[in-house]
Amino acid sequence: MRKIRTKQESTNGAETLILFCGVWFSNIIQQILRSGTLGVSMLVFAVAGLMPAVIAIRNIEKAIYYRKLHRQAMNRPPKKGRIISYERQTQRKMNAKGRTYDEYEYTLIIEVYDDMSYAPIQICSDVYSWPVYEVLASPEVDVYPDDSGWHYTIDGFQYKEHRSDAGIFQENAWEKGMERNFSRIIKFLGNIVLVCILISMWFEN
């Protein structure tokens, strides 16, 4: 089952960048071994390949930091919450080729009860980069407030046993977003291609 993590806790494609760097530097190393020298062009390519490596490392460091905060928040006693709705925001972004595309973010709306008045109040979760509610079998969650009472860490999700099981919301198919159909498949296939290229580069000789 796919682990539910907030957008801040995710590595944001660091795995793909690392595989790309592996292919990039493997090609450079093989060129050096064939020629026996480190030319200016190879040095330039090596320096250029450092940028995605730095981005991947920073993404991993950020994810580790926020995952640590998540674990620390769970040392507090939780409140019981119930997911009652969600919001989807759209961000228009531009890729390296100058083409625009829509990126979706999801926020869970959760109902908890105030400790003093016992009145129900609504809070918002941190942002998720995918519709996490689709894998949940129950709207019940654990809510961990911080000292300020303004930020909440959400955990204690109850997952579906099967993808085809009924979810917690009756969704409108038009609201799911086109990105859900192919983005994960394309990313997975892209990683497989990079792995195959990397393996072939080191075993072809």
Side-chain angles (χ1 to χ4, degrees):
M1 179 61 68
R2 187 179 183 184
K3 175 69 174 177
I4 292 181
R5 300 191 186 277
T6 65
K7 190 172 183 179
Q8 291 178 323
E9 295 169 2
S10 66
T11 56
N12 295 321
E15 302 85 355
T16 302
L17 289 176
I18 291 173
L19 288 173
F20 173 81
C21 290
V23 172
W24 186 275
F25 286 106
S26 294
N27 182 55
I28 293 175
I29 292 172
Q30 289 194 348
Q31 292 295 331
I32 294 174
L33 292 176
R34 291 193 185 101
S35 62
T37 59
L38 176 60
V40 176
S41 60
M42 287 295 100
L43 182 60
V44 171
F45 277 109
V47 173
L50 292 177
M51 182 58 68
V54 170
I55 294 175
I57 292 172
R58 288 182 176 177
N59 287 346
I60 292 173
E61 290 177 341
K62 176 187 69 68
I64 292 174
Y65 172 77
Y66 282 104
R67 291 180 190 184
K68 181 179 179 181
L69 292 181
H70 188 119
R71 291 192 298 269
Q72 290 175 348
M74 292 179 64
N75 291 328
R76 304 169 182 269
K79 295 182 177 181
K80 290 300 180 182
R82 183 179 180 86
I83 303 172
I84 60 174
S85 183
Y86 67 91
E87 293 180 354
R88 190 185 76 168
Q89 298 84 32
T90 306
Q91 292 187 349
R92 183 61 58 88
K93 294 194 174 184
M94 182 177 296
N95 60 21
K97 296 182 179 180
R99 297 177 181 177
T100 58
Y101 65 96
D102 290 336
E103 185 177 277
Y104 296 91
E105 295 180 343
Y106 300 83
T107 303
L108 300 177
I109 309 301
I110 301 169
E111 184 178 81
V112 297
Y113 286 90
D114 183 74
D115 291 334
M116 301 296 294
S117 64
Y118 299 101
I121 58 175
Q122 292 183 11
I123 64 171
C124 295
S125 71
D126 287 329
V127 173
Y128 299 92
S129 58
W130 59 287
V132 298
Y133 50 83
E134 292 188 351
V135 300
L136 300 181
S138 170
E140 306 296 329
V141 292
D142 293 331
V143 178
Y144 299 85
D146 64 3
D147 290 332
S148 68
W150 291 100
H151 181 263
Y152 303 89
T153 298
I154 313 301
D155 209 289
F157 297 102
Q158 301 179 39
Y159 296 90
K160 294 180 182 179
E161 292 187 4
H162 307 284
R163 183 180 295 271
S164 58
D165 292 345
I168 62 175
F169 296 125
Q170 185 66 35
E171 296 179 88
N172 184 340
W174 291 100
E175 296 179 354
K176 290 187 176 182
M178 291 297 293
E179 88 289 354
R180 293 190 56 249
N181 296 329
F182 304 108
S183 60
R184 290 181 62 191
I185 297 176
I186 291 175
K187 181 180 178 180
F188 175 77
L189 292 177
N191 288 344
I192 293 297
V193 170
L194 289 173
V195 169
C196 292
I197 293 174
L198 189 59
I199 293 174
S200 65
M201 291 178 67
W202 287 103
F203 287 94
E204 65 181 358
N205 296 330

